[in-house]
Amino acid sequence: MPGIIDQSKVQRDIADIGKTVNEDTIVNPRSGLEYDSLPKVVREAKANMETATETIIASTEIKSTEFMNDLATRYLALSLKGDWQAATAYVVKDLVFVENITYICLVGHTSSSSFENDLNAGKWFIYQGATQVDLQNYLPKNAEFAPVLGSPVRFKLNPIMASFLYGISDPIHKDDELNNFRGLNNQNAWHESNIGIGGFAAGRNNPPFAYLSSAFGHDCVPYGVASMVGGAGSATGNPDDPNESTGKYGYCGFVWGKNTIGIGRISNAMGELCKAISKLSSVNGYKAIAGPALPDHPNYLPDGNEGVAARAYGYEVEAYGNFAAALGSFIKAYNGSMVIGKGNLSTGSPLMLSRRGIALGYHVAIPTIFCAQGNGIDRDGAWVGFNTDSPITRYDFRLGKSDTITHVIESTDELSAVAFETKGLLGNGQLASLHNLVITHPNSGQAYGTATYFLNGVKYLTINEDRSAQFSSGVDVGAAGLKVNGKRVVGGQLAALADLPADATTTDIINKINQILAGERAHGLRAT
C-alpha cells in the first residue's frame, strides 16, 4: 500500500548493513538475491505520501468549489427588488416587499396594476427562506414512491390549480361496481384532466373531478361542485352528465359508503347501494333510495316530480315524491307519502303506500293505521283508516272475522270508571256533553260493573251487574209497544169502551167482557 513501509525489508536491511552494492539494492549473501535498501524504501514511502496529500488537497478544492457554486445558486441568485411596483418586469427568484411581507417571484412576468391579481394568478409566493431546491417554479410538483398494495404511491401538488393528491394510484381504476368512472375524461383516475380546481384527494384512485371537491377511500368520484365523497366505489353528482355546471347534480353533496351515490343537489347518502337522487334528498342504510315521484305508479301526482327533501332510512326502503319518507325495513312510500314500520317478511311483501298520508305498520303489507292527507282546513283533521289505506268515512275501522275492539280499565282502585262521551260545540264557543256512557268497575274479584247513561248531562238509565235496568224517567215505547219474548205486553191505547148501565143484563155483561177480550187479543196483550 502506498506510503506504508515494508517492515520485512527494513529488518533485512538492518541485518545486512555494509553489504550493499549500491544505494538502492542490497545483495543477500545467503541467497545472492537483491532487495530494496532502507534508503530506497523510505524515499518511496515519502513520495507516496506526497502524492496522496496532493490528491486530498485537489479533491478538497473541488468539493469547496462545488459547495460555493451551489451556495451561490441557492442563495446568491436571489435578487432583492425592494417594494413591489406595477408595470415592472420581474424574473424568477426576484424578491419584493408588500406590506412588510417578502414575496418571491415564481414565473417571469410584467406586473399588472394590482399585486393581489398577480398573487392570485400564482406568480408570487410568500418567501420564508426557501432554497433553490424548494423554489421549483410554478409547475406542478410530482413524486412517486415505493409501491404499496402492489400499486405506485404518488404525490401530486399543483399550486396553480390549488389541487393536492396523495395516495395510491393505479393506471386503471378498480372496484367500481356502479361504473361511476364512466363520466371521467380519462380512466386513469389521477390524470390531469380529471383534477378540478381546489380538488383534494387521498387514498386510492379518487379523482377530485369537480371544482372544490374532495374524495377519500378508494375509487370514489365527486362530480358535484364543492362536494365530498368517501368509502368505496361511491360518487356525488351524475356520471352521465359530469360537466353539468348549474348545480343541478351533486352540488354540495355528501356521500360516504360503498357503491353509494348522491346525484341530487345538496343531497347526502350513507351506507351500501344507496341512492339520493333528488334535491335535498337523504338516504342511509342498505339499498335506501330517495327521489322524484314515479309517473308509472298508481296515484301519481305531478307536483312531486322533483322529489324535494325525500327521505329513506333503513333496510331496502324507498321514498318517492316531494317530502316522501320511508323509515324501517322493506318499505315503499310513493307520491310523497310517509311510512314507518316493516313489511311482511313471511310473504316478501313490502309495506307500501301510494296515497298521500302517514302510515304505520309492522310485519304487514297494508298499513295498520293510515292518516290520509287533510283538505288543508285548520282544525278540520283528516280521515283515518285502521287496517286500510282507503278510509270511506272520517274514522274507518276495518274489522275482520271475529275481530274485537277492547277497552281495558287497568286501574286497581276500589271503584274505577271510564267514560265514552260525545260533546258538542255550543254557539257560545263552549263544549257541552251530548251523550255519555260511564262504566264503573268495583274490582271485587269478579266481572261486576255498572253502566250509566246520560243524555245532555242528565242520567236516564242505569244497568247494574244483575242486568236490571232502571230508567230515571218514563219510557215511551211507541206504537210497536213493549214486547217480552216477542209478545207485546205494553202497547198503544185501546179504543174506548162505554160503561155498563146499572141495570145491565147478563147478556150486556157477557158482550162487554167479550169486547174487552177481543181488544186485548187484537192488541197482542192476550194470547189467542
Side-chain angles (χ1 to χ4, degrees):
M1 179 178 295
I4 304 301
I5 299 177
D6 190 335
Q7 296 295 327
S8 63
K9 292 181 180 181
V10 173
Q11 290 175 357
R12 285 180 301 188
D13 265 358
I14 293 173
D16 295 312
I17 292 177
K19 300 177 182 179
T20 62
V21 295
N22 57 50
E23 196 176 56
D24 297 326
T25 61
I26 297 177
V27 178
N28 190 333
R30 293 184 292 274
S31 62
L33 299 176
E34 294 183 359
Y35 57 90
D36 294 337
S37 67
L38 180 59
K40 181 181 180 181
V41 171
V42 174
R43 188 169 60 252
E44 289 180 351
K46 178 181 178 182
N48 290 338
M49 289 294 292
E50 291 175 349
T51 301
T53 301
E54 292 174 354
T55 300
I56 293 173
I57 292 174
S59 176
T60 302
E61 290 177 349
I62 292 173
K63 294 297 184 182
S64 298
T65 301
E66 291 177 350
F67 173 77
M68 294 304 296
N69 290 338
D70 181 69
L71 186 64
T73 300
R74 291 171 182 262
Y75 298 99
L76 301 183
L78 300 176
S79 179
L80 187 61
K81 297 297 183 180
D83 292 336
W84 179 86
Q85 300 293 329
T88 302
Y90 290 103
V91 297
V92 176
K93 290 185 288 186
D94 281 351
L95 298 178
V96 298
F97 302 128
V98 179
E99 296 181 354
N100 295 323
I101 300 176
T102 303
Y103 292 88
I104 186 167
C105 182
L106 300 179
V107 56
H109 67 284
T110 297
S111 58
S112 67
S113 60
S114 169
F115 176 77
E116 192 71 21
N117 291 340
D118 293 349
L119 178 64
N120 293 337
K123 298 175 181 179
W124 296 95
F125 193 78
I126 294 177
Y127 177 68
Q128 298 176 318
T131 65
Q132 176 64 22
V133 174
D134 303 311
L135 302 175
Q136 297 180 19
N137 65 38
Y138 68 95
L139 295 176
K141 297 177 175 65
N142 300 293
E144 184 169 324
F145 306 96
V148 173
L149 300 176
S151 299
V153 176
R154 292 191 170 93
F155 171 89
K156 293 175 71 71
L157 174 64
N158 188 337
I160 301 302
M161 297 284 287
S163 63
F164 174 71
L165 294 83
Y166 177 71
I168 301 173
S169 175
D170 301 297
I172 301 297
H173 66 278
K174 302 178 179 179
D175 301 322
D176 177 25
E177 296 182 20
L178 298 181
N179 191 25
N180 291 326
F181 274 55
R182 64 185 182 273
L184 295 180
N185 298 314
N186 191 299
Q187 291 301 290
N188 185 339
W190 284 6
H191 188 271
E192 296 297 333
S193 63
N194 293 333
I195 303 174
I197 294 176
F200 175 75
R204 182 172 190 165
N205 301 333
N206 299 310
F209 186 84
Y211 174 76
L212 296 177
S213 64
S214 301
F216 306 87
H218 73 84
D219 302 284
C220 295
V221 187
Y223 289 106
V225 172
S227 66
M228 180 179 290
V229 64
S234 298
T236 62
N238 187 354
D240 294 316
D241 192 0
N243 298 308
E244 198 281 327
S245 60
T246 64
K248 178 180 179 181
Y249 299 118
Y251 170 72
C252 284
F254 178 83
V255 173
W256 208 276
K258 180 175 176 60
N259 300 319
T260 288
I261 189 167
I263 298 177
R265 188 176 188 271
I266 320 179
S267 62
N268 68 81
M270 298 185 70
E272 183 176 1
L273 293 173
C274 294
K275 296 180 180 180
I277 302 174
S278 54
K279 177 182 177 181
L280 298 173
S281 60
S282 178
V283 296
N284 191 315
Y286 176 76
K287 288 187 176 181
I289 303 173
L294 304 180
D296 57 348
H297 196 273
N299 307 305
Y300 167 74
L301 294 172
D303 59 350
N305 56 13
E306 282 192 277
V308 175
R311 298 285 187 268
Y313 304 125
Y315 192 95
E316 293 193 16
V317 290
E318 302 175 24
Y320 301 100
N322 291 348
F323 317 118
L327 175 62
S329 59
F330 303 104
I331 294 175
K332 293 185 178 181
Y334 295 95
N335 304 312
S337 63
M338 302 178 182
V339 185
I340 300 176
K342 181 179 182 180
N344 192 333
L345 298 183
S346 60
T347 62
S349 302
L351 174 56
M352 185 172 66
L353 182 64
S354 64
R355 292 178 173 83
R356 289 186 177 177
I358 301 175
L360 300 175
Y362 198 86
H363 199 47
V364 291
I366 299 175
T368 304
I369 302 175
F370 170 68
C371 179
Q373 176 179 253
N375 57 19
I377 300 176
D378 292 344
R379 303 182 62 86
D380 189 51
W383 289 21
V384 180
F386 297 85
N387 293 322
T388 178
D389 61 0
S390 304
I392 59 175
T393 58
R394 176 73 74 175
Y395 305 102
D396 185 348
F397 293 85
R398 300 294 174 95
L399 304 179
K401 182 179 180 180
S402 301
D403 276 353
T404 301
I405 298 177
T406 303
H407 302 276
V408 178
I409 301 176
E410 290 190 333
S411 173
T412 58
D413 292 343
E414 182 177 351
L415 185 62
S416 299
V418 62
F420 301 91
E421 187 174 23
T422 301
K423 288 189 175 184
L425 183 64
L426 304 181
N428 59 5
Q430 300 297 316
L431 293 175
S433 178
L434 300 181
H435 189 266
N436 191 9
L437 167 60
V438 178
I439 306 295
T440 59
H441 176 34
N443 281 308
S444 60
Q446 299 185 45
Y448 287 165
T450 299
T452 304
Y453 295 82
F454 297 82
L455 184 64
N456 300 327
V458 179
K459 181 173 68 173
Y460 67 88
L461 173 63
T462 301
I463 303 176
N464 62 21
E465 60 270 17
D466 296 325
R467 296 175 300 282
S468 295
Q470 179 181 357
F471 288 91
S472 302
S473 183
V475 178
D476 185 357
V477 299
L482 181 63
K483 296 182 179 181
V484 176
N485 294 326
K487 302 297 184 179
R488 184 167 52 183
V489 295
V490 177
Q493 190 177 44
L494 297 177
L497 291 178
D499 294 340
L500 289 173
D503 57 351
T505 64
T506 301
T507 301
D508 292 336
I509 295 173
I510 292 173
N511 290 336
K512 185 62 70 174
I513 292 174
N514 288 337
Q515 188 178 6
I516 293 173
L517 292 175
E520 291 180 353
R521 294 189 186 99
H523 203 59
L525 297 178
R526 186 166 309 273
T528 57

